[in-house]
Amino acid sequence: MFTFEELKRSFLVSIWFVFLTFPIMVIRVDSIEKTVQWRWMNMVYVAIGSFILSFVFRYMMQRKEMKSEDNGDGDKKDKTGRSFIHRWLADPKYRNAILGSLLAAAIIFPHVFSTYQTSIMTTALMYVVLGLGLNIVVGLAGLLDLGYVAFYAVGAYTYALLYHFFGVGFWVALPIGGLLAALFGILLGIPVLRLRGDYLAIVTLGFGEIIRLVMENWGAFSQGPSGVSNIPRPSFFGIDMSLDTALVYTYYLMILLVIFTIFFVNRLQDSRLGRAWIALREDEIACQAMGIDKMKTKLVAFSLGAFWAGIVGVIFAAKTTFISPRSFTFIESAIILSIVVLGGMGSIIGVIFGALILILLPEYLRALSEYRMLAFGAILVCMMVFRPQGIIGSIRRTYTYQNRKKADGEVS
Amino acid sequence: MDYFIELLFSGLSRGAIYALIALGYTMVYGIIGLINFAHGEIYMIGAFTSFIIATILTILGFPGLAIILLAGLAAVIWSASYGYTIEKVAYKPLRHAPRLSALISAIGMSMFLQNYVLLAQTSDFLPFPQLVPDFDFMEPIAHIVGSSDMVILVTTTVVMICLTILIKYTKIGKAMRATSQDRTMAMLVGINVNRIISITFIIGSSLAAIGGMLVASHIGQINFYIGFIAGIKAFTAAVLGGIGSIPGAVLGSVVLGLTESFATGYVSSDYEDVFAFSLLVLILIFKPSGLLGKADTQKV
Amino acid sequence: MQQPILQVSGLTMDFGGIRALNNLDLDVNEGEIVALIGPNGAGKTTFFNCVTGIYAPTKGEVDLYHKEKNRVVSLLGMKPNQVTEQGLARTFQNIRLFSQMTVLENVMIGRHCRTKAFILGALLRDKKTMQEEDEIIQTSHEILTKIGLQRYENEIAENLPYGAQRRLEIARALATEPVLLLLDEPAAGMNPQETIELVNLIQEIASEGQSILLIEHDMKLVMSLSDRIFVMDYGKKIAQGTPEEIRNNPAVIKAYLGEEVDA
């Protein structure tokens, strides 16, 4: 495989990237001190890195092309060769064992690991729920929402401000935050869901930024850039909790929310509504011709996604006890999108894995954490180019008939 | 009255910068139907490259005019190369994929480039040397119109004229127009579509690089994040004018520049970005085809 | 005379300055197979799009008579999904399947407008919802069996052979329980064998009392299937009648100048 031709190509790619990255990677100047720093080692890294990566790139492209060529064969493979996770979960014996042990692990986690670990895990779980919520919008209904963080912010600010102005507690704020976010979703959705996919993406991005900028500038309402602090942690029947206990409590709360969300999304995607979402993602016009109300169906997906973001927003405010507009930048939306894309659009297990990988990995590999956003960007590109279905793609459900007699034969 | 004229000119020069960036969006969209989300980053890289080269040349003691020209040339060369490479790596493999896949890839590219510059250079704001001197002949009106405003306006006008000539009268321009109307058909009549797409990216990126240098020198500082906001605003301008339309992009940019300038001048500067974003949301909702764009009818 | 189930009168559609449809009248009676033919660009698909609510016609009336409910509804100004709900289902000239869904799911989508379950039902999976879900699966399965696609049921739609994809479009449309089925060039791109199978299929569907309006280029197919034929050219109706009358109509022969009209 390492023919001369290949080596030459990689060599040329390598030269090109050395040239391309030269000013940014090699030179660093200080315009005040009037000094120039030449970092020649970076050039070597780029040369070697791009040489190797160009092989990888070509290899991956070839593999992808080969796959798309023997398509007829490919679907047979799909049936038997679907990822082992799907096969395990399809078998009830394995499924119960896996889910049971996962649940047990989740329950004992805070007792085995430190508070710090629990706190990180809680954050990761929040992203699991955010990912699952965005998955309804992007993965199932195919609506690219780049302003998802706006709904998250609505939830967080709802709790923060309700407490600040009226002393409303966590448990009251939780549903209000969710519902208010859903309401924002509907209000924004009605005008913008008519738009074509890419325009929708940009409008939601704009909306997300507007919400953040308003929070930043409307000091009287939101306390501006300095944010809202001293937000109380979740309460438990009014019992006073130490910081550690409160954290563990929040963790369990998140576990419950994750379970509920999985249950919710799973049931929805296997329903009449879920099928309509997926159909809408595939072909809007055909969908309408099948009698599906496009706007209504989209609006439900959009506002349900927003609802989840709102709920997590409230929990986020309660967990960190301090929020400011800086927590709700576009980066946040991009992270959640990366989770969904990496995991696999429309796939629940995929999104869970995606969230755990993307949030936990940088936490534990501290040395790499500054490369986090760089990696997220690269992940989005690589996933789209090489594996658009994500690490664990969704599979279509197949139905079986027990030849039961038609349920009383009525058509409602 | 002076204040009004001052705002007018600052709005125009703002608009001129937006136009330089917006053209890249609109040309790429016209040809491959993709919102090139990483375009703002190309502009940012243009600003950084010109900053680095200009600083080195200043240290070496080059004369002012040479610095401007060489730094500008370097910005154009490198930005164009980045544009070309990005297309090959992140968009070309997705040419037959669903629209949203390419858009997600573009968003990823944008994040990647931002952080690439952040890590390789710095996260701080860098003071950008003032490349454009205060001209003597501008002295009497300097309190209203700055020299760099003037340079921006003149440069942009010249660039626009060149671009118009290129698109209207050259063979490449014709091929570009043909490709944007019907890619398959263009291919059938023997146009090398891949090459045309590459050229489009190169031209768009070069324009953004010029914009990057001009604005950096005008404002006096840069950081890795300037591309994001500028990109969204330029995109707003492109949509306002009607995305895919070249005169539309210029018109949209001028309208946006003036709106921002007057709104911040007369209303409040706190909400500067809110104006632009609100304008974006409103146009897309009420007139997604923009001022000069064609409304697209759905083919069934 | 019996009540026509579809009555279109004076339908006109302008695109900018171009008149794509010009004062078109057309009617379909119950149980009939009616064909709409005409040279390329005559406005046939535009006609379908106007009737099904994808385009808003400039002028004209579109009325659908619902026999079971014994009432006439005007389809004008309705959204495409409402039109389908009223009982007009269609297929598309260039196949528009939900390509990543299974064949069965494609048909199940067709049941959407005849079922009700929503968020709460999906969550609770109460008895009513589950019955409805069973009904959806069962009916879809039956339709696929009738169309002869049951062996593909769990395949991804995109992987089906071309002819089967066309049939799946018909199956999907039938799942909406249409009063009138609109077929937009169902035989386009099919080989002779597939076309024969398609003719048999359409006849079988029609024999169960399904009224059909179809656009088709294949004259053989049109002549052998249709009870009545409407001929369009440049957005106007130039002839109508039985296959026999159309075959001998000089205006039609002129419109098809150069094209053989044999059967």
Side-chain angles (χ1 to χ4, degrees):
Chain A
M1 105 164 236
F2 293 102
T3 59
F4 177 70
E5 217 19 64
E6 296 258 307
L7 287 172
K8 198 176 112 191
R9 268 178 83 181
S10 288
F11 183 69
L12 289 177
V13 168
S14 172
I15 299 259
W16 173 253
F17 273 93
V18 165
F19 159 76
L20 188 68
T21 56
F22 183 77
I24 305 277
M25 289 295 285
V26 177
I27 312 172
R28 188 190 264 158
V29 295
D30 190 323
S31 57
I32 297 167
E33 304 276 316
K34 303 241 181 275
T35 52
V36 183
Q37 186 192 348
W38 301 86
R39 300 167 295 174
W40 296 108
M41 271 322 281
N42 280 352
M43 189 160 146
V44 178
Y45 297 146
V46 168
I48 298 172
S50 55
F51 187 78
I52 296 169
L53 282 180
S54 91
F55 274 109
V56 177
F57 189 86
R58 277 205 303 275
Y59 171 71
M60 298 283 277
M61 284 310 276
Q62 268 169 12
R63 242 184 58 161
K64 193 178 144 197
E65 265 157 37
M66 255 151 61
K67 252 191 200 156
S68 65
E69 261 168 37
D70 54 22
N71 213 348
D73 222 43
D75 41 331
K76 268 189 210 110
K77 254 184 264 156
D78 262 344
K79 258 192 183 162
T80 49
R82 56 168 114 139
S83 89
F84 63 96
I85 296 173
H86 285 305
R87 256 180 297 147
W88 282 353
L89 284 180
D91 188 336
K93 210 168 54 191
Y94 281 120
R95 185 175 59 204
N96 293 341
I98 292 173
L99 294 184
S101 44
L102 271 181
L103 191 66
I107 289 173
I108 57 167
F109 186 88
H111 302 293
V112 178
F113 293 97
S114 67
T115 326
Y116 171 70
Q117 308 285 356
T118 310
S119 165
I120 290 175
M121 195 42 118
T122 312
T123 308
L125 291 175
M126 281 165 42
Y127 280 94
V128 168
V129 178
L130 286 172
L132 288 172
L134 185 63
N135 184 42
I136 300 177
V137 187
V138 180
L140 295 179
L143 307 164
L144 185 53
D145 181 355
L146 295 181
Y148 194 58
V149 73
F151 305 121
Y152 182 46
V154 168
Y157 269 97
T158 302
Y159 178 36
L161 296 178
L162 277 180
Y163 175 77
H164 183 78
F165 288 116
F166 307 107
V168 173
F170 173 79
W171 287 105
V172 179
L174 191 66
I176 298 179
L179 291 175
L180 208 59
L183 182 70
F184 265 77
I186 292 172
L187 290 181
L188 175 69
I190 289 172
V192 306
L193 286 174
R194 282 181 297 129
L195 295 172
R196 236 181 25 211
D198 43 3
Y199 279 13
L200 175 73
I202 300 294
V203 171
T204 49
L205 168 67
F207 174 74
E209 288 294 293
I210 290 173
I211 291 273
R212 183 179 63 83
L213 288 167
V214 167
M215 287 303 161
E216 211 154 81
N217 289 302
W218 192 3
F221 176 67
S222 66
Q223 313 203 351
S226 55
V228 189
S229 47
N230 292 326
I231 306 163
R233 293 201 163 75
S235 54
F236 185 65
F237 299 114
I239 300 169
D240 265 338
M241 283 183 283
S242 69
L243 187 88
D244 283 6
T245 329
L247 258 174
V248 173
Y249 176 57
T250 316
Y251 167 83
Y252 282 127
L253 205 64
M254 276 315 301
I255 292 280
L256 280 179
L257 186 62
V258 167
I259 294 173
F260 176 65
T261 311
I262 294 172
F263 169 82
F264 189 100
V265 178
N266 190 34
R267 288 215 153 174
L268 269 183
Q269 74 177 17
D270 266 347
S271 73
R272 170 177 174 270
L273 188 61
R275 280 193 301 270
W277 284 337
I278 297 167
L280 205 57
R281 181 182 78 187
E282 304 272 317
D283 191 326
E284 282 193 10
I285 291 181
C287 231
Q288 285 178 290
M290 290 298 107
I292 292 174
D293 189 331
K294 186 171 90 174
M295 272 310 284
K296 188 172 146 197
T297 313
K298 281 185 178 180
L299 209 53
V300 171
F302 203 64
S303 54
L304 274 181
F307 176 77
W308 250 266
I311 294 272
V312 183
V314 173
I315 298 179
F316 171 74
K319 179 185 178 255
T320 55
T321 71
F322 162 75
I323 55 166
S324 79
R326 254 170 306 149
S327 310
F328 307 105
T329 55
F330 169 69
I331 305 279
E332 209 61 32
S333 293
I335 292 175
I336 305 168
L337 180 68
S338 309
I339 288 173
V340 176
V341 169
L342 175 72
M345 286 188 255
S347 154
I348 295 179
I349 314 170
V351 171
I352 296 172
F353 270 87
L356 294 180
I357 293 172
L358 287 190
I359 305 302
L360 293 183
L361 220 54
E363 287 292 344
Y364 289 117
L365 301 173
R366 271 282 161 206
L368 296 180
S369 67
E370 57 175 319
Y371 296 99
R372 196 167 91 126
M373 294 312 293
L374 188 80
F376 284 9
I379 283 173
L380 284 183
V381 176
C382 293
M383 291 312 278
M384 282 300 119
V385 172
F386 299 120
R387 203 178 157 82
Q389 75 273 33
I391 47 174
I392 303 172
S394 59
I395 43 161
R396 302 298 333 136
R397 185 177 162 197
T398 51
Y399 296 82
T400 46
Y401 321 90
Q402 292 90 17
N403 257 348
R404 58 195 148 194
K405 58 180 187 302
K406 231 170 123 188
D408 298 322
E410 273 141 333
V411 180
S412 52
Chain B
M1 193 61 201
D2 273 5
Y3 187 54
F4 176 84
I5 296 175
E6 191 187 327
L7 290 179
L8 179 73
F9 271 91
S10 94
L12 282 177
S13 74
R14 242 175 218 264
I17 296 291
Y18 291 153
L20 286 172
I21 313 172
L23 281 168
Y25 277 111
T26 229
M27 285 164 68
V28 166
Y29 195 90
I31 296 239
I32 56 172
L34 164 75
I35 299 172
N36 181 11
F37 213 83
H39 190 60
E41 271 55 59
I42 299 284
Y43 151 91
M44 178 266 293
I45 284 173
F48 262 91
T49 310
S50 64
F51 165 74
I52 290 166
I53 302 298
T55 311
I56 292 178
L57 295 179
T58 315
I59 294 170
L60 294 177
F62 275 60
L65 188 67
I67 293 179
I68 296 182
L69 291 179
L70 289 175
L73 187 67
V76 166
I77 289 174
W78 263 285
S79 284
S81 307
Y82 273 95
Y84 172 83
T85 313
I86 289 168
E87 195 272 325
K88 286 277 178 277
V89 172
Y91 305 151
K92 194 172 168 223
L94 292 171
R95 207 151 292 158
H96 303 288
R99 254 182 138 98
L100 289 187
S101 304
L103 181 57
I104 293 175
S105 183
I107 294 167
M109 208 20 126
S110 156
M111 284 161 69
F112 181 86
L113 289 176
Q114 263 180 38
N115 287 279
Y116 155 73
V117 173
L118 164 83
L119 292 168
Q121 294 287 321
T122 172
S123 61
D124 302 331
F125 271 98
L126 293 171
F128 198 97
Q130 193 191 356
L131 296 177
V132 179
D134 290 322
F135 300 120
D136 292 340
F137 65 86
M138 293 285 292
E139 192 55 46
I141 49 165
H143 60 291
I144 308 174
V145 190
S147 295
S148 67
D149 278 329
M150 217 57 208
V151 170
I152 288 174
L153 283 175
V154 171
T155 316
T156 309
T157 313
V158 171
V159 168
M160 295 296 153
I161 292 169
C162 294
L163 184 70
T164 313
I165 292 171
L166 177 88
I167 297 218
K168 277 228 158 110
Y169 302 109
T170 66
K171 221 176 139 187
I172 289 177
K174 270 184 202 151
M176 281 169 74
R177 280 182 288 152
T179 311
S180 81
Q181 277 191 10
D182 190 331
R183 207 193 304 162
T184 322
M185 203 54 214
M187 213 159 354
L188 288 177
V189 298
I191 293 171
N192 184 344
V193 170
N194 281 333
R195 199 168 131 247
I196 293 302
I197 293 174
S198 289
I199 291 174
T200 309
F201 270 85
I202 288 172
I203 296 175
S205 305
S206 310
L207 299 179
I210 297 172
M213 183 179 87
L214 290 175
V215 90
S217 151
H218 181 58
I219 294 174
Q221 57 175 10
I222 54 172
N223 84 340
F224 71 98
Y225 202 61
I226 55 169
F228 180 72
I229 295 286
I232 292 185
K233 288 192 181 168
F235 178 76
T236 306
V239 172
L240 178 60
I243 194 148
S245 150
I246 289 178
V250 179
L251 178 67
S253 302
V254 172
V255 172
L256 179 67
L258 290 175
T259 312
E260 272 194 348
S261 176
F262 285 118
T264 50
Y266 286 121
V267 186
S268 153
S269 61
D270 285 349
Y271 286 90
E272 184 188 329
D273 293 342
V274 178
F275 290 125
F277 289 127
S278 310
L279 193 62
L280 173 68
V281 173
L282 292 177
I283 307 158
L284 283 179
I285 291 173
F286 292 109
K287 199 168 182 337
S289 57
L291 296 172
L292 300 182
K294 292 177 298 239
D296 59 346
T297 38
Q298 226 158 8
K299 280 254 196 234
V300 180
Chain C
M1 179 156 174
Q2 68 196 118
Q3 169 89 32
I5 52 170
L6 178 73
Q7 178 117 45
V8 178
S9 47
L11 197 66
T12 302
M13 177 79 206
D14 294 333
F15 287 113
I18 300 155
R19 180 150 288 191
L21 292 178
N22 194 348
N23 211 17
L24 207 77
D25 299 329
L26 186 148
D27 61 284
V28 181
N29 296 321
E30 202 195 343
E32 257 187 331
I33 301 182
V34 175
L36 180 60
I37 63 171
N40 278 329
K44 303 180 298 283
T45 297
T46 305
F47 173 81
F48 266 27
N49 287 341
C50 284
V51 171
T52 53
I54 291 177
Y55 295 157
T58 317
K59 237 176 35 209
E61 286 300 324
V62 181
D63 292 323
L64 188 72
Y65 171 67
H66 208 296
K67 193 183 160 204
E68 278 153 42
K69 294 177 193 154
N70 193 20
R71 66 194 171 94
V72 178
V73 236
S74 168
L75 299 182
L76 229 53
M78 280 193 181
K79 286 192 275 179
N81 58 300
Q82 292 168 321
V83 170
T84 309
E85 226 167 285
Q86 292 302 326
L88 209 63
R90 69 172 290 179
T91 65
F92 293 91
Q93 189 177 349
N94 32 7
I95 304 177
R96 280 179 169 269
L97 290 173
F98 306 118
S99 50
Q100 298 302 319
M101 299 174 91
T102 66
V103 169
L104 185 69
E105 280 177 314
N106 264 276
V107 184
M108 286 167 79
I109 291 291
R111 298 298 301 156
H112 189 96
C113 61
R114 302 290 168 231
T115 44
K116 291 204 186 71
F118 213 53
I119 303 176
L120 217 57
L123 278 191
L124 301 178
R125 295 209 174 150
D126 52 312
K127 200 167 158 236
K128 205 171 131 234
T129 310
M130 290 322 281
Q131 272 178 8
E132 192 182 89
E133 197 65 13
D134 280 348
E135 184 273 328
I136 295 177
I137 298 172
Q138 201 59 41
T139 317
S140 308
H141 177 66
E142 279 161 18
I143 291 171
L144 280 175
T145 313
K146 186 163 81 183
I147 300 288
L149 291 175
Q150 76 275 31
R151 68 196 170 102
Y152 293 122
E153 224 156 57
N154 287 324
E155 298 283 332
I156 300 293
E158 164 178 78
N159 298 338
L160 251 54
Y162 182 81
Q165 291 196 13
R166 285 237 168 257
R167 293 159 81 94
L168 177 55
E169 275 226 336
I170 299 177
R172 198 176 61 173
L174 280 177
T176 66
E177 293 173 17
V179 173
L180 175 65
L181 179 63
L182 306 183
L183 302 177
D184 197 344
E185 295 199 24
M190 282 189 169
N191 63 33
Q193 180 56 35
E194 286 173 330
T195 310
I196 292 170
E197 283 169 20
L198 180 78
V199 170
N200 292 338
L201 174 67
I202 294 178
Q203 270 166 343
E204 195 191 318
I205 297 170
S207 70
E208 287 166 19
Q210 176 70 57
S211 321
I212 296 171
L213 172 62
L214 69 115
I215 294 177
E216 191 46 71
H217 269 303
D218 189 325
M219 280 305 148
K220 218 163 165 177
L221 184 146
V222 168
M223 292 296 169
S224 63
L225 270 179
S226 326
D227 298 312
R228 282 189 301 140
I229 297 174
F230 287 80
V231 189
M232 279 177 78
D233 198 13
Y234 294 111
K236 274 191 195 152
K237 183 168 78 184
I238 57 171
Q240 77 176 82
T242 62
E244 205 51 44
E245 290 162 3
I246 295 300
R247 205 191 307 261
N248 303 318
N249 188 316
V252 177
I253 294 167
K254 198 176 153 223
Y256 274 91
L257 200 71
E259 279 188 45
E260 282 180 275
V261 191
D262 61 347

